[in-house]
Amino acid sequence: MKKYDFVRVTEAVDEEMKDFVGAEGMIIQVDEHEYTKYPIEVCLFDKKLQAIIVDEGNLHFKESELEIIRRDE
């Protein structure tokens, strides 16, 4: 996965992230450091969920929690 890919949240390991499953967005940052547990920052299209991400301090995702989607589906 890379910056600007469109993605859907498919799963959430942490309980507080369960509300994000099914949400779609665009990757805006990928942390390349190998020690980073949650390297992918996503800007979600759902304004309410995106506001939660910002309020919580820019929550990030693991690659295993996301799938790439096409905009022409």
Side-chain angles (χ1 to χ4, degrees):
M1 291 184 182
K2 62 187 183 317
K3 190 172 183 176
Y4 304 125
D5 281 345
F6 291 102
V7 294
R8 177 182 298 118
V9 180
T10 57
E11 65 177 86
V13 176
D14 298 327
E15 188 63 33
E16 65 271 6
M17 299 295 282
K18 297 288 186 193
D19 292 339
F20 296 95
V21 174
E24 297 180 353
M26 182 176 65
I27 295 175
I28 59 172
Q29 184 67 33
V30 178
D31 188 346
E32 300 294 333
H33 296 101
E34 60 190 55
Y35 59 84
T36 303
K37 188 173 179 182
Y38 296 92
I40 301 172
E41 184 176 359
V42 177
C43 180
L44 298 176
F45 300 139
D46 182 301
K47 289 181 182 183
K48 181 180 172 185
L49 292 176
Q50 182 59 34
I52 294 170
I53 285 180
V54 172
D55 288 345
E56 294 293 325
N58 291 332
L59 301 173
H60 291 69
F61 297 88
K62 294 180 180 180
E63 187 169 342
S64 64
E65 297 174 322
L66 303 170
E67 70 178 354
I68 295 176
I69 57 173
R70 292 182 174 175
R71 298 311 300 164
D72 59 348
E73 290 182 328

